[in-house]
Amino acid sequence: MGFQRFPRHYIQVSDTRDDEILSVYRETIAPLYGYVSRCSGGDRSLAEDVTQEAWLRAVRDWRRKGMPDRPLAWLTTVARNLLASHFRRRRSAPLASLSPAELLEALDDGRATRSAEMAAVVCCALARLPAAQAEILEAFHFEERPVSEIAARSGLSDRAVEGRLRRAREKLRRELESVMAFAGGTR
């Protein structure tokens, strides 16, 4: 039995299943933290807390039910849900100087992922989208995957992914309007 470093805490490793979990931890911690960090708008404390909580839930769940076929996908889903819960509970600061269209532009050119305030509003709006739409937007904007890779992973044509992205962006724009109106007190 040994101890392995985990952000701010130690996890105890005791048996073969735990050795397998530890191996997956080593393989997935960097990509998971990178994803969470991009989605949390540079809020390091939030990124660390969400990554840690996702892994604590994984260890608890995987010990009972066994490891999923795609551990990183499982962890990413848990992290996305934790972020969504966080942003639902927190009222976003108003961005009076930006319109939803300007926020979408900021998402396209990467500014939204570098600004905690913009990322908070975008993540709050993403949390209100259906999971499939949020996932495709996150893959394209936050994970910076090309359309061809998203298409290959999802078994769709490039054109189908482009159509889904367009519809998801339109839905995101409407959600941004709603979130910004609420945050600004005009709702």
Side-chain angles (χ1 to χ4, degrees):
M1 183 182 320
F3 289 94
Q4 297 297 321
R5 180 78 173 118
F6 191 83
R8 292 200 234 166
H9 294 287
Y10 290 87
I11 58 174
Q12 195 171 11
V13 179
S14 61
D15 63 15
T16 306
R17 178 175 280 171
D18 287 343
D19 289 341
E20 185 180 2
I21 290 172
L22 182 59
S23 175
V24 171
Y25 170 80
R26 288 182 180 134
E27 293 170 16
T28 61
I29 191 66
L32 178 65
Y33 181 79
Y35 166 78
V36 173
S37 180
R38 287 187 299 272
C39 291
S40 62
D43 184 342
R44 185 176 179 177
S45 177
L46 175 61
E48 289 175 354
D49 289 348
V50 168
T51 302
Q52 178 180 354
E53 181 62 26
W55 259 102
L56 290 172
R57 289 180 184 199
V59 169
R60 187 173 43 243
D61 190 71
W62 296 354
R63 281 181 174 164
R64 280 192 332 257
K65 299 177 184 175
M67 191 162 314
D69 293 334
R70 296 175 33 208
L72 184 58
W74 190 99
L75 289 161
T76 302
T77 300
V78 170
R80 182 180 56 251
N81 291 339
L82 289 168
L83 284 167
S85 294
H86 168 79
F87 288 118
R88 277 189 201 112
R89 285 190 307 269
R90 180 179 150 210
R91 288 196 175 179
S92 303
L95 293 171
S97 63
L98 291 177
S99 69
E102 290 169 322
L103 262 176
L104 286 173
E105 274 182 39
L107 189 60
D108 285 338
D109 65 24
R111 287 178 293 141
T113 59
R114 292 187 299 270
S115 162
E117 185 180 41
M118 283 189 217
V121 172
V122 170
C123 286
C124 186
L126 277 171
R128 298 169 65 164
L129 294 179
Q133 288 182 329
E135 288 170 9
I136 199 166
L137 288 169
E138 289 168 357
F140 186 76
H141 290 290
F142 288 108
E143 298 169 14
E144 299 176 351
R145 291 191 203 157
V147 168
S148 58
E149 183 183 333
I150 297 169
R153 285 183 173 209
S154 60
L156 300 169
S157 68
D158 288 1
R159 189 171 172 130
V161 169
E162 289 168 355
R164 289 179 184 200
L165 272 168
R166 185 179 58 255
R167 288 186 295 278
R169 284 177 54 83
E170 180 57 31
K171 176 85 170 161
L172 178 63
R173 185 191 57 74
R174 288 192 303 271
E175 291 300 334
L176 284 170
E177 289 171 351
S178 176
V179 166
M180 291 174 71
F182 179 74
T186 60
R187 206 176 208 203

